[in-house]
Amino acid sequence: MALLLYLGMTAALARGCLHCHDNFSEKFSFYRHHVNLKSWWVGDIPVSGALLTDWSEDTMRELHLAIPAEITRDKLDQVAEAVYQRMDQLYQGKMYFPGYFPNELRSIFRDQVHLIQNAIIESRIDCQRHCGIFQYETISCNNCTDSHVICFGYNCESSAQWETAVRGLLSYINNWHKQDTSMRWSSISSPGTCRTTPAFLISPSFTCLEPQHLANLTLENASECLTQH
């Protein structure tokens, strides 16, 4: 009983992409509470329990993404459905031979990490297939709060669309830097106030779009800077 209580409390404190799904608590509570019925070898029970308890934290540690771990709700649903389906199938069996059950849990875990990585990256790629500034709604895997991703897409069908896209980007950057300056002043009086810079604004190729260059930046120069990205 003490072990089950410990597992439940630890999982409640954990954070991770799958943890943000509505059915996570119910599903993993069931998995943890029935883990002692899945192996003939008593040594598999604490190993499997630890895998389930650390699932969320281990997921975040294994993602290894160069971009924020923010996933769309639709893709989170797809990942969750795939994971729950495999877990439910694993739990439908009776007791397994020693070592089999924790090995299967590890396999499901690794596949889940790959699914999340692909989901996050695919959304970024899809975002950049638009023309100009584009935003899509996401969930932050770090704390399960609503978030959004902003990107700049290059998929413009005409020079007129491209010019409009670049003008929109310049306007966005100007507003961003003005707000950023305001936020820095606010953080002095209210420590902890911060925001995440969109990934496309911190690319090494965008040095021409930094604040010190904005005053003399022309539409032509901005367009050239972007096409070199």
Side-chain angles (χ1 to χ4, degrees):
M1 179 63 71
L3 174 61
L4 293 180
L5 178 61
Y6 167 77
L7 294 179
M9 291 176 63
T10 307
L13 297 174
R15 282 293 181 267
C17 289
L18 192 62
H19 182 94
C20 301
H21 191 261
D22 293 339
N23 295 335
F24 177 88
S25 296
E26 178 184 352
K27 284 288 189 179
F28 271 72
S29 176
F30 174 86
Y31 300 147
R32 291 192 308 273
H33 293 165
H34 291 79
V35 71
N36 59 323
L37 304 175
K38 304 315 300 177
S39 177
W40 288 104
W41 186 43
V42 68
D44 281 353
I45 297 175
V47 173
S48 300
L51 289 170
L52 293 169
T53 299
D54 298 335
W55 194 280
S56 294
E57 292 181 0
D58 288 346
T59 297
M60 295 301 295
R61 186 162 47 247
E62 293 298 322
L63 283 179
H64 301 303
L65 290 171
I67 56 178
E70 296 173 324
I71 189 170
T72 65
R73 191 169 295 277
D74 286 345
K75 290 189 180 296
L76 177 59
D77 287 342
Q78 293 171 13
V79 172
E81 182 179 355
V83 172
Y84 298 154
Q85 182 177 11
R86 288 189 61 185
M87 293 286 278
D88 290 346
Q89 289 175 349
L90 182 63
Y91 273 78
Q92 284 175 1
K94 297 182 179 180
M95 283 194 171
Y96 296 103
F97 290 109
Y100 180 85
F101 188 74
N103 284 340
E104 283 299 299
L105 286 180
R106 292 188 187 99
S107 175
I108 295 173
F109 173 82
R110 288 192 298 268
D111 289 345
Q112 172 234 209
V113 170
H114 293 150
L115 287 174
I116 293 173
Q117 289 172 330
N118 291 339
I120 293 173
I121 293 171
E122 285 172 2
S123 293
R124 284 299 183 102
I125 293 174
D126 289 342
C127 186
Q128 293 174 354
R129 287 180 177 144
H130 291 80
C131 178
I133 295 290
F134 184 78
Q135 173 179 311
Y136 61 95
E137 303 304 314
T138 56
I139 301 170
S140 171
C141 293
N142 289 313
N143 53 23
C144 298
T145 58
D146 291 336
S147 58
H148 61 267
V149 172
I150 301 173
C151 68
F152 181 81
Y154 292 78
N155 191 24
C156 301
E157 297 180 355
S158 67
S159 57
Q161 281 190 353
W162 174 249
E163 181 175 330
T164 300
V166 176
R167 288 186 186 279
L169 177 62
L170 290 177
S171 175
Y172 177 87
I173 292 174
N174 271 303
N175 290 333
W176 172 268
H177 287 306
K178 289 177 182 177
Q179 293 173 13
D180 197 41
T181 301
S182 175
M183 289 289 288
R184 281 199 294 268
W185 280 106
S186 297
S187 64
I188 296 176
S189 57
S190 302
T193 303
C194 61
R195 60 176 178 163
T196 302
T197 302
F200 70 89
L201 288 185
I202 56 178
S203 167
S205 300
F206 283 163
T207 54
C208 60
L209 303 181
E210 292 177 351
Q212 63 269 28
H213 302 304
L214 288 179
N216 300 317
L217 188 64
T218 65
L219 182 64
E220 182 179 356
N221 291 338
S223 180
E224 181 180 355
C225 171
L226 292 171
T227 53
Q228 291 175 352
H229 175 60

